[in-house]
Each structure stands twice: as structure tokens, then as C-alpha cells.
Amino acid sequence: MTMNLMPVEDALARLLDSAVPFARVQEIALGDARGQYLAQDVVSRVDVPAFDNAAVDGVALRYADLDEPGLTLPMPLRIAAGDPPGTLMPGQVARIFTGAPVPAGADTVLMQEDCEIADGRVRLPAQASVTDGQNIRPAGQDARLDEVVMRAGQRLTPQAVGLIASVGISQVRVYAPRVLVLTSGDELQAPDEAPLPGKIYDSNGPQLEQLLIQSGFAEVRREHLPDDPAIIQATLTRALTSPDQRPDVIISTGGVSVGEEDHLRAVLEQQGQLDFWRLAIKPGKPFTYGSVDGIPFFGLPGNPSAVLVCYLMLVLPALRRCCGAENVLPEPFRLPADFSVKKAGKRQEYLRVRCVPKNGNLVLEKHPNQSSGMLSSAVWADGLAVVPVGRTVSEGEILSFFSFPDLLG
Ligand code: AMP
Ligand code: MG
């Protein structure tokens, strides 16, 4: 019997539709907030800049004083950044420096390179060479008092942190979901143990933890599950009933395929609710989604590159939507393939590719080994190129390309 595989777009649409905002939010210092998602709108406490100020080092004057050609005016005022603005009388100019407040009465700033300054006087240039109001950064050009400068759901990039600081705010409320990462499999051992026969080192746990941290979810707890339904059930129950460790989202790896030792999905069905599984995605077909006790449960496959692809293309967009984000996936770049794919597939394939220059343009180079069990090709790659279901690719054909930094940014 062949089961229909759910298209990736349908799975993503269902994940986004069922996303509920995370209940856990935290007020933290702005300096600790980079990479996290705002759980509040940010409203400016001031105008930014707070006053009209000079954009260059030079001379502040009245544009009208340029009427008379070749005038030399006295310069009794000197205003540096941080000084009070002072007042300019008609027929005077002021020495002014970048960021200094423009004095009352002045409306234009000349660059020092454009005027002759000597003995406390300034010879003015022809009016035709000057624009009324030039070189002044007006108050409120960046932000206005009471203006919403950032919205809930936006990610705190370094520049967002800078903008929020510039409006006089030092604490922000961010989403702080607790993420429980469950690895599974009797074959797994920790990287600090001596290698045992038949065992492999756990790479999904460390990889997922770092993916989460890099995408703004720092509260990660990891547990390992043996291939034993009773222990899996007991572990889940313990996690759900623990008052200070109850997760807001659960992400598991392994144990959701169709083998006799794949118990996670069965436990999810018994203890919670299975929404869908088996996607037309390569790598990552066994992807499973459901909930336990109202907590979203993402059952990722065991293969490490499938974990990477499913996290980036499905889990992370869903987590972002639970943080109120509008844009949950970047727009892919469109780049030509420097390879061909002869056989059309039944699943949408995410190829590990590199961007390389060729004849002055970027092209996509595919790693020769796309095995879902391999991570070295994912480390080699710059990102993922998408080959839709039923499509072959000829050399030079344009494909969608998601770079890893873009996906995680
Ligand atoms: P499963 O879906 O449990 O059958 O796992 C599929 C493949 O992924 C098997 O080869 C597992 O050994 C491997 N695998 C599962 N979990 C991990 C893990 N945490 N780290 C590395 N490989 C894993
Ligand atoms: Mg397994």
C-alpha cells in the first residue's frame, strides 16, 4: 500500500495555521535581547534626533544672508556636539560640528570645505551653489515621540537593538519558550564516551540545540530516550507535569519512521494527538506533527541532514509564527544550477549546495553525496537548493536557493 505524502507547502500551511502565541514571555535587558523575538510593540519615548542638528562639520547660517554675493560675516558662535544650541542673529554665522544642535535663527549648514574661514569671519559662497536647509538632520527624522518603531513578532537584530536604545528604552519583553529536545535511539551515545560496538555518537541533540539557540530560542533542555515505549511515555509524563520544566514546545528526533523500533509516533498518538505525518520532502519524509497536552510536538526523523532541513523549512517557521512573526521564511535567491538532475522525484528535494562564481556570476554547485545520514555535506554547503516534485533539472536552469545564514537570520 502506498500512502499519499503531504506536500511541503500544505504541511507548512498547517503548521502556521495551528500556531498559537507562546505564553512564556520575559522582560530582559536590551543588551541580552539580540536574536530574540519581541513580545511587545516598542514605542519611542523621544524624537530621534531630539533636535535639528548638523550633518557635517562647517558653518550654520541663514539662507537669506546669501542673497548678497561675496559677503564676509562674523562668526561669534561655536557649537560642538553636546553644546546647547544658542541663537544666531541676522548677519552672523556659527561654527558648528557634526551632531551639534543648529542654533535658533539658522536654517542651513555649509561644509567647512565649501567656505573660507579666516580671523573669526567667513566668506560666503554664491547662493546658487547652496540649497536652502542643506546639511541639517531634522528632529524626528528617525523616530517620533510615541511612534511605534518596532512591532511584536519582529526579531531583535543588532540594528534593532540600536534603534530601541536610540528611543530611550533599556528593557524589552521577548518570547521565552522552553524547548524540550528529545533524542531517541538505543544506538546513541554521548560524544564524551569511548566508542562502543554498534553505537553511534548523538549529533542531532547538539545540532538541534545550536540551531535553536542561533534562531533565538535559548531555553533548550535535552533528554535522551531509549527505544522503549514505556520509558518514552514516562519521560513525556514527567516533563509535562514538572512545574518548573514544563516545555512550551517539544522537538524529537528519530523513532517516527515505520520500523518496529520506531515508537515515538505511537506514543504521541496514545498520549496526545497526531495531526499529520509523512511529507513529500527529501530528506525528511517521516516528519510528524501533533501535540501533547496542548504542547506542539515536532517529530523529526533521525537522519542528521533531515533534522537540519526539517528544522529550517518547517519547525523554525512554525516557532517564528508562535512568536507573532509575519515573515517566517526568507525569500529564496534564484540562481542557476551548475548540475543536472535527470530523474524526477516524488518528493520536494532540498539539495546541499554551494554558491560558486562562474564566468562572473554565481552558480549552484551540488555536493556529490546527498545522503540524509551525512552532515559533512551540510557543513560543506552554503545552503539548500529546492527541486520541486516531478521536476528534472538541466544545467543552467534557475533554482530557488536558501542560504543557511538567511534561514537562520
Ligand atoms: P530512526 O528514524 O530512529 O530509524 O533513525 C534514522 C537514522 O538516524 C538511524 O541511522 C539512526 O541511527 C540515526 N539517528 C537517530 N538519531 C540520531 C542522533 N541523535 N544522532 C545521530 N544519528 C541519529
Ligand atoms: Mg531510531
Side-chain angles (χ1 to χ4, degrees), residues 39-259:
Q40 60 161 108
D41 291 347
V42 176
V43 177
S44 180
R45 298 176 52 204
V46 288
D47 283 340
V48 183
F51 42 83
D52 291 357
N53 67 89
V56 295
D57 290 346
V59 169
L61 49 76
R62 276 166 221 274
Y63 186 72
D65 283 346
L66 295 168
D67 273 354
E68 211 172 311
L71 262 191
T72 302
L73 296 182
M75 191 168 63
L77 278 180
R78 184 182 189 280
I79 311 159
D83 286 346
T87 301
L88 195 68
M89 307 309 278
Q92 294 181 342
V93 300
R95 187 78 170 105
I96 197 162
F97 299 90
T98 305
V102 175
D107 55 22
T108 297
V109 172
L110 302 180
M111 268 171 91
Q112 57 194 20
E113 293 85 341
D114 294 338
C115 38
E116 283 169 46
I117 306 175
D119 303 327
R121 299 182 72 84
V122 176
R123 176 184 293 279
L124 299 180
Q127 193 174 48
S129 66
V130 180
T131 309
D132 194 356
Q134 75 179 30
N135 295 326
I136 291 180
R137 301 187 287 215
Q141 111 174 320
D142 208 5
R144 290 258 173 220
L145 171 69
D146 293 335
E147 181 186 336
V148 175
V149 293
M150 299 259 328
R151 295 263 173 212
Q154 284 191 285
R155 185 130 194 241
L156 291 165
T157 59
Q159 57 272 37
V161 168
L163 177 65
I164 294 170
S166 80
V167 302
I169 288 170
S170 61
Q171 297 266 119
V172 283
R173 237 177 23 256
V174 295
Y175 286 100
R178 289 195 192 114
V179 186
L180 175 59
V181 168
L182 298 171
T183 50
S184 76
D186 286 344
E187 73 278 33
L188 295 173
Q189 57 173 145
D192 58 352
E193 292 166 4
L196 295 166
K199 307 281 180 187
I200 61 165
Y201 288 119
D202 167 26
S203 61
N204 291 342
Q207 181 186 207
L208 255 182
E209 182 170 41
Q210 294 310 314
L211 283 167
L212 285 157
I213 291 170
Q214 188 152 346
S215 8
F217 304 101
E219 289 200 44
V220 183
R221 194 165 65 80
R222 270 161 59 186
E223 281 210 46
H224 184 66
L225 304 169
D227 290 318
D228 177 332
I231 299 182
I232 296 174
Q233 246 168 24
T235 308
L236 267 182
T237 304
R238 190 162 24 82
L240 297 176
T241 51
S242 140
D244 54 339
Q245 293 196 325
R246 189 182 147 88
D248 301 286
V249 56
I250 301 173
I251 307 173
S252 69
T253 77
V256 287
S257 203
V258 288

Side-chain angles (χ1 to χ4, degrees), residues 199-382:
K199 307 281 180 187
I200 61 165
Y201 288 119
D202 167 26
S203 61
N204 291 342
Q207 181 186 207
L208 255 182
E209 182 170 41
Q210 294 310 314
L211 283 167
L212 285 157
I213 291 170
Q214 188 152 346
S215 8
F217 304 101
E219 289 200 44
V220 183
R221 194 165 65 80
R222 270 161 59 186
E223 281 210 46
H224 184 66
L225 304 169
D227 290 318
D228 177 332
I231 299 182
I232 296 174
Q233 246 168 24
T235 308
L236 267 182
T237 304
R238 190 162 24 82
L240 297 176
T241 51
S242 140
D244 54 339
Q245 293 196 325
R246 189 182 147 88
D248 301 286
V249 56
I250 301 173
I251 307 173
S252 69
T253 77
V256 287
S257 203
V258 288
E260 273 172 36
E261 294 293 346
D262 292 320
H263 306 293
L264 258 166
R265 195 183 45 260
V267 170
L268 175 64
E269 273 182 296
Q270 280 162 29
Q271 239 175 313
Q273 179 191 322
L274 174 74
D275 284 355
F276 61 85
W277 70 293
R278 283 170 61 92
L279 308 186
I281 188 171
K282 185 178 179 182
K285 182 167 75 174
F287 182 94
T288 298
Y289 179 68
S291 60
V292 265
D293 203 16
I295 298 170
F297 187 111
F298 299 88
L300 304 189
N303 280 309
S305 270
V307 167
L308 177 67
V309 168
C310 290
Y311 178 80
L312 293 173
M313 304 314 299
L314 295 162
V315 180
L316 180 54
L319 298 182
R320 286 182 171 144
R321 185 52 55 82
C322 294
C323 293
E326 287 285 324
N327 298 326
V328 294
L329 267 179
E331 222 20 74
F333 288 98
R334 306 278 296 158
L335 289 172
D338 198 34
F339 56 86
S340 60
V341 177
K342 302 237 155 49
K343 195 164 166 278
K346 292 191 168 61
R347 295 181 277 157
Q348 174 147 297
E349 185 162 12
Y350 291 84
L351 296 169
R352 279 150 271 170
V353 296
R354 244 184 195 180
C355 276
V356 291
K358 189 178 183 183
N359 305 328
N361 288 308
L362 283 182
V363 296
L364 299 172
E365 181 188 341
K366 170 171 156 278
H367 193 281
N369 195 330
Q370 295 286 328
S371 159
S372 63
M374 276 178 60
L375 272 183
S376 49
S377 46
V379 172
W380 171 92
D382 294 321

Side-chain angles (χ1 to χ4, degrees), residues 1-5 278:
M1 186 187 86
T2 57
M3 266 184 80
N4 278 342
L5 302 178
R278 283 170 61 92

